[in-house]
Amino acid sequence: MMASSSSSSSSASLSLIWLYDVFLSFRGEDVREGFLSHVLKEFKSKGINVFIDNEIKRGESVGPVLVGAIRQSRVAVVLLSRNYASSSWCLDELVEIMKCREEYQQTVMTIFYRVNPSHVRKQTGKFGKAFEKTCVGKTEEVKQAWRQALKDVAGIAGYHSSNCGNEAALINIVASDVMAVLGFTPSNDFDDFVGIDDRVKKINLKLILQSEQVKMIGIFGPGGIGKTTTARVLYDKLSPDFQFSTFLENIRGSFEKPCGND
């Protein structure tokens, strides 16, 4: 499996390496119990690699690990809810996301979950009250950055939970649209192969895509256990991130000499 890194219309984005398909920004207390878990399950079922900040120790401000995760995600999905603005952490995330949208042309998708987009844009209603509490003690510069980010993100045409008959339908639409942005082509070719997902995940962990060095990973084992199939699934998942790519199957057969021992 060979590939060369992708190009972009923006020269700034040429230096970026995508480690994640999606960065998901959310307020845990509003969505963690139900909606978020369903979103993650649907994304996983469609092969979408999502970064969420559950594992990061939270401090006073968004740190370099989180900034790196945002910048190295192809798509940012902002899950706006009633208490989103009650978290300075979420607001700092949003400022960085909107910065990446402007500087690196990162795709930003919004879900308005039980919140009015106009309340987000104007910081009014219960959303606005939560925002005002978070602003207490902050500098005018920080508050203005938050306000501008909320105004900009609310101006993005998004998905409204109130407009969908049920949450499952909404989540399915969002996941399908994310796949379209990523260039994923839904495939059922490998659905009957038990254990493929676990194999691909283990190999994926060994890949260091941000490195500029050439890497080679070998998959060893007896014939018939699915080595080529595993490589093909991994290739199908990663190749959309590269401008040029090719999958060479049965290299040994291709280079066998016609006869003799020379």
Side-chain angles (χ1 to χ4, degrees):
M1 182 170 62
M2 298 183 295
S4 62
S5 59
S6 61
S7 62
S8 169
S9 58
S10 169
S11 59
S13 65
L14 290 174
S15 60
L16 294 180
I17 297 294
W18 308 122
L19 295 185
Y20 309 100
D21 296 325
V22 169
F23 180 93
L24 188 57
S25 179
F26 61 93
R27 183 67 172 129
E29 68 181 59
D30 286 342
V31 299
R32 196 186 303 276
E33 292 298 322
F35 189 77
L36 178 64
S37 62
H38 295 152
V39 169
L40 294 176
K41 181 179 180 181
E42 185 68 18
F43 280 8
K44 181 180 179 181
S45 72
K46 286 180 164 51
I48 299 171
N49 181 23
V50 183
F51 179 92
I52 58 175
D53 61 10
N54 284 341
E55 304 300 325
I56 296 179
K57 183 177 180 180
R58 300 201 171 202
E60 291 299 319
S61 61
V62 172
V65 174
L66 203 59
V67 170
I70 293 171
R71 293 182 179 181
Q72 293 170 322
S73 298
R74 295 180 65 189
V75 177
V77 175
V78 183
L79 182 46
L80 294 157
S81 57
R82 183 178 298 174
N83 292 299
Y84 185 90
S86 68
S87 167
S88 60
W89 183 277
C90 288
L91 294 171
D92 285 342
E93 275 186 358
L94 183 61
V95 169
E96 185 62 34
I97 287 170
M98 300 311 291
K99 185 185 299 183
C100 287
R101 180 175 187 252
E102 180 179 354
E103 295 181 359
Y104 305 121
Q105 287 72 55
Q106 182 184 62
T107 298
V108 177
M109 303 172 72
T110 56
I111 302 174
F112 298 95
Y113 183 71
R114 300 179 180 177
V115 67
N116 191 315
S118 67
H119 291 173
V120 176
R121 182 170 57 255
K122 300 176 183 178
Q123 296 94 61
T124 56
K126 292 183 178 180
F127 187 93
K129 290 180 180 179
F131 177 74
E132 290 303 322
K133 288 182 180 179
T134 310
C135 286
V136 173
K138 303 299 181 182
T139 66
E140 190 58 39
E141 181 181 3
V142 168
K143 290 188 287 185
Q144 182 55 37
W146 287 350
R147 291 191 186 99
Q148 188 62 50
L150 288 169
K151 179 181 178 181
D152 291 342
V153 77
I156 298 173
Y159 309 87
H160 301 226
S161 62
S162 60
N163 292 343
C164 278
N166 60 77
E167 292 183 356
L170 170 64
I171 292 170
N172 183 63
I173 291 171
V174 173
S176 296
D177 287 351
V178 169
M179 289 181 68
V181 171
L182 296 174
F184 285 6
T185 302
S187 174
N188 299 319
D189 292 346
F190 306 106
D191 285 354
D192 295 331
F193 290 85
V194 178
I196 283 292
D197 286 343
D198 289 338
R199 295 180 189 177
V200 170
K201 287 178 182 176
K202 289 179 181 179
I203 297 173
N204 208 17
L205 290 173
K206 298 181 181 296
L207 298 175
I208 308 176
L209 296 180
Q210 69 269 35
S211 172
E212 296 182 356
Q213 296 180 335
V214 175
K215 300 289 184 179
M216 180 178 293
I217 292 181
I219 305 175
F220 299 93
I225 66 170
K227 299 186 299 297
T228 300
T229 300
T230 300
R232 167 58 77 177
V233 173
L234 187 64
Y235 172 81
D236 288 346
K237 179 176 176 58
L238 297 179
S239 58
D241 292 343
F242 296 86
Q243 183 181 12
F244 303 108
S245 61
T246 186
F247 187 87
L248 301 179
E249 191 170 342
N250 192 23
I251 294 179
R252 181 179 61 184
S254 300
F255 285 90
E256 284 180 348
K257 295 182 179 181
C259 59
N261 297 319
D262 297 337

